[in-house]
Amino acid sequence: MAEMVLTGCTLTSDHLYLYPNDCRLDDEVRAAQEIGMRFHPSRGAMSIGESKNGLPPDALVEEEPAILEDMKRVIREFHDPSPFSMIRVVLAPCSPFTVTKDLMKKAAGLAREHGVFLHTHLAEDDSDIEYSLKHFGQRPGEYIKEVGWVGSHVWHAHCCKLNQEELELFASTGTGLSHCPSSNCRLGSGIADVVQMLRTNVKVRVLWRMCARGSTSPTSSH
């Protein structure tokens, strides 16, 4: 955040879903407050570890009741809905394959109840599509519609593998999309068809950050 302020950026968001060594979202919030930067901290989460056939190590996942309680806490303690406020909380389970469908639905309900934004990773590469079809019997667009993750208060990162029907769903519901070119290039996960997204009237933002002060080389970020 300090680097970004020095280069003229005054607003940022961070998708924080790893909480080792008892760190909390509070630590980022306090840093933003000290620096004086407008900040949209995302209370991310993962709950399906390796022992449950998930990707994250078990040491990095949390129990879902605790996740939901902490989401309520950070909204209560930090979210300021007033115009031009300095802190607005976002609810952000990491991805459809690192939390349960139940948590996705409950996070969506919390967001609507408290008027906060939702964010997650979606359709980043072919394996995401395969997982969605295998475990949910649905493509990502069908899944997010079912769990309530569409609307003007929602934005999804990556989305390299959305088909035309899914893009039209995003456009018709005002759902946002974050294009992450540097991350996608680094991982070799695909190239988002931004031209077609814009032609379909999907809201697209480009997500990147500076490597260092004065640098023009983007690096992956969330």
Side-chain angles (χ1 to χ4, degrees):
M1 284 189 282
E3 287 180 356
M4 287 189 283
V5 166
L6 289 170
T7 60
C9 178
T10 60
L11 166 65
T12 190
S13 180
D14 184 41
H15 190 182
L16 183 63
Y17 47 87
L18 299 173
Y19 300 93
N21 305 319
D22 297 321
C23 72
R24 301 193 300 171
L25 195 69
D26 309 42
D27 304 320
E28 286 195 320
V29 172
R30 293 196 176 98
Q33 290 171 332
E34 288 181 17
I35 291 170
M37 192 169 196
R38 184 169 284 114
F39 188 37
H40 289 190
S42 296
R43 205 309 179 180
M46 298 191 295
S47 61
I48 303 177
E50 290 176 323
S51 63
K52 297 179 181 178
N53 298 316
L55 294 177
D58 286 343
L60 295 178
V61 301
E62 302 172 88
E63 296 295 327
E64 294 194 350
I67 291 168
L68 290 166
E69 284 304 310
D70 199 55
M71 285 180 171
K72 295 174 186 176
R73 181 189 67 83
V74 295
I75 292 172
R76 183 174 62 251
E77 293 187 12
F78 300 118
H79 183 66
D80 179 358
S82 62
F84 309 110
S85 69
M86 296 300 288
I87 302 290
R88 292 188 181 181
V89 170
V90 180
L91 302 185
C94 179
S95 67
F97 51 85
T98 55
V99 300
T100 66
K101 183 177 285 190
D102 184 60
L103 182 65
M104 292 291 283
K105 289 181 177 179
K106 288 179 178 177
L110 271 179
R112 288 191 296 270
E113 179 183 351
H114 295 283
V116 302
F117 276 74
L118 289 167
H119 176 61
T120 194
H121 299 88
L122 190 75
E124 183 173 1
D125 56 27
D126 291 331
S127 64
D128 286 7
I129 307 300
E130 293 168 7
Y131 185 96
S132 187
L133 292 172
K134 178 180 178 181
H135 292 272
F136 309 130
Q138 300 169 306
R139 282 191 56 87
E142 297 171 306
Y143 174 84
I144 63 166
K145 184 177 180 180
E146 179 185 335
V147 296
W149 276 67
V150 292
S152 59
H153 65 302
V154 185
W155 86 93
H156 297 275
H158 302 296
C159 299
C160 297
K161 301 297 180 176
L162 295 183
N163 62 23
Q164 183 60 31
E165 183 177 352
E166 290 164 325
L167 292 181
E168 290 171 2
L169 171 66
F170 273 53
S172 65
T173 57
T175 305
L177 184 158
S178 289
H179 175 41
C180 313
S182 52
S183 175
N184 300 147
C185 286
R186 178 171 290 183
L187 298 176
S189 56
I191 300 173
D193 191 348
V194 177
V195 171
Q196 186 58 27
M197 292 172 179
L198 295 175
R199 283 175 178 165
T200 311
N201 293 320
V202 177
K203 294 190 300 184
V204 180
R205 69 170 68 176
V206 178
L207 197 61
W208 71 310
R209 71 176 179 86
M210 300 293 187
C211 290
R213 186 179 182 185
S215 169
T216 57
S217 301
T219 61
S220 61
S221 65
H222 298 104

